[in-house]
Structure formats: C-alpha cells, structure tokens
Amino acid sequence: MPDVMSSSRLIGVGVGPGDPELVTVKGVNALRAADVVVVPVMDTGERGRAEATVLHYVPVEKVVRVVFALNERSDRGRREAAWDAAGERVARLLTTYGAVAFATIGDPNVYSTFTYLAQTIGELVPGVVVETVPGITAMQDLASRSGAVLTEGTEPLTLVPVTAGAAVLKDALAGPGTVVAYKFGRQAGEVAEALRETGRLGDAVWGSALGLPEESVRPAAELDGAPLPYLSTLIAPARRDGGRGGKL
C-alpha cells in the first residue's frame, strides 16, 4: 500500500436512523467537506439507509459504494474476506483524497460498521487520522416518536444487541432501569416472551424504519412472534412507581 500523506483523514459520520432531518449540522458539514463519501452496501447491491440519507446532502458523483458483508454472520471466512476487500478499497481512496468520510447509520461509536473499518485502515494506512462525528441513535429517535422516556434520575440504561442471544436480553430485563434492544427483528418471538416473563411487556414499545415512509412504531404487546425488520428497536422503560422525581 502506498504511503499516505499525514494529513489524510478518515471521518466516520453518524447520519442517524433514517430521517434525513436528523443528521446534525456538523454531520452535514463533514459530508460536504469530504472529498468523497463512502457508503456501505450489501453484496446484493440495493441502496442502504446510510446511502439514501447521504444523497439528501451530497451529489451522487461524490458517493463511493463499498461492499461490506453486513448480513454475514455464519461464515466468518467470507465475512473477513469482505472486510479485507472493503478496507483495501477505502485505503486506496486515502492515497488519492485528503479527506474520506464514511457514512454510518446511527452513531459511528455505537455498534457501527465504522469501528471495524477504522481498525482495518489503521493497519493498512499507518499515520492516517481517524475522526468521528456523532449521530442520533435509533433509541433516541424511537423515544421521541413513541413518547417513551429513556432515563430518569438515577436509573441505569442498558443497550443490548439481541444478536448476542435472547438470554442476554432476559438478564437485562430482570435488572433495574430501562432496557433497549437493537437488531431483534429475527427473534421477535423470543423477545416478546422475555418481556412477558420479566413483567416488562406493558410499557415496552418497538419501532422499525424510523423516519421512513414504511415507519412502524407500536406497543410491544402487539408483538405476535412474526419476524420483524432486522433493524427493529425496542424500548422497555424502567419500572416507575415513585411519582415525579421518584428516582432522584
């Protein structure tokens, strides 16, 4: 890999959960200031949520689509090969451009593709400067759209990717505070059962495609076990019975 000028930068930009109005001013400025904007796409080639959001703010000519194995969980070898290929593609861009932005849904430091890309680039391109611009997360957007309060007073907040298994979610639900579950669509039935077993079903809400035409925000009690979109989000608020300010 050719040497990269020390001024070359890789900027992970959080573009929010899907609603283009939820990209921060700083995020928009970073996208527009970059020489190119990389967006992750699956090997099936359809336009992803990050790309659709980015195109509200930068021309298509500035966008570079890079294939990532975003939906590959069973074949580690195939996943690693895809990561290596994506990293090499972005590394080549850094030999040509001084500032390469990478758009990621949500926040670049919360379960983001950018984390793995930055690690790969750090090995391929010594001296590159890595920066991030925070973005609005799905849990914040769902809380706003549903009226669910994420935290009060001294309540803890636990964020669980259900890809780690329903048992991890059940343990979190048995504890105090609010529990947020990400990526639970394929295990919606197990999630509903965990909520029932822990007595957390009543106030819980779930949402998918937030900010998009196909948006759905509904009480978790309506979960019938049918699979939901992969990027569905769940909020199970803390048990609150102390009145206003009861947890202060």
Side-chain angles (χ1 to χ4, degrees):
M1 185 66 59
D3 290 337
V4 174
M5 294 176 59
S6 60
S7 59
S8 293
R9 295 183 300 139
L10 176 66
I11 309 108
V13 182
V15 296
D19 183 347
E21 292 186 340
L22 288 181
V23 184
T24 67
V25 174
K26 186 171 185 176
V28 171
N29 288 340
L31 293 173
R32 290 176 172 167
D35 298 306
V36 293
V37 178
V38 172
V39 295
V41 297
M42 293 192 294
D43 52 13
T44 49
E46 70 265 25
R47 177 174 293 172
R49 202 173 296 186
E51 181 178 6
T53 304
V54 164
L55 290 174
H56 281 82
Y57 297 106
V58 301
V60 66
E61 300 80 32
K62 189 174 176 176
V63 174
V64 177
R65 308 176 93 227
V66 176
V67 174
F68 285 77
L70 301 177
N71 58 346
E72 181 58 70
R73 295 188 59 81
S74 58
D75 189 335
R76 179 170 181 174
R78 180 176 177 273
R79 184 174 68 244
E80 294 290 342
W83 280 116
D84 289 342
E88 289 171 2
R89 177 80 188 282
V90 175
R92 286 195 296 272
L93 290 172
L94 284 162
T95 67
T96 304
Y97 300 102
V100 175
F102 179 88
T104 178
I105 59 171
D107 182 278
N109 294 303
V110 180
Y111 298 129
S112 169
T113 307
F114 181 74
T115 301
Y116 311 115
L117 176 66
Q119 291 172 351
T120 303
I121 294 299
E123 297 173 358
L124 292 175
V125 188
V128 67
V129 176
V130 177
E131 304 172 359
T132 58
V133 177
I136 301 295
T137 61
M139 64 178 169
Q140 292 169 285
D141 196 13
L142 179 57
S144 175
R145 295 176 188 277
S146 67
V149 175
L150 285 170
T151 55
E152 291 184 0
T154 58
E155 294 170 353
L157 173 65
T158 303
L159 176 59
V160 177
V162 183
T163 48
V168 177
L169 174 63
K170 189 178 295 185
D171 287 344
L173 289 169
T178 294
V179 176
V180 175
Y182 275 1
K183 304 177 183 180
F184 79 92
R186 295 171 187 167
Q187 296 168 270
E190 296 174 64
V191 169
E193 181 61 26
L195 288 166
R196 280 190 290 269
E197 289 183 8
T198 55
R200 304 288 292 270
L201 186 63
D203 296 328
V205 296
W206 71 269
S208 63
L210 300 174
L212 304 176
E214 63 271 30
E215 174 186 298
S216 181
V217 176
R218 300 169 63 185
E222 295 182 11
L223 289 170
D224 58 7
L228 301 173
Y230 174 65
L231 290 178
S232 296
T233 297
L234 173 88
I235 298 176
R239 300 178 179 90
R240 297 179 179 123
D241 51 14
R244 185 177 66 179
K247 298 286 183 69
L248 293 177

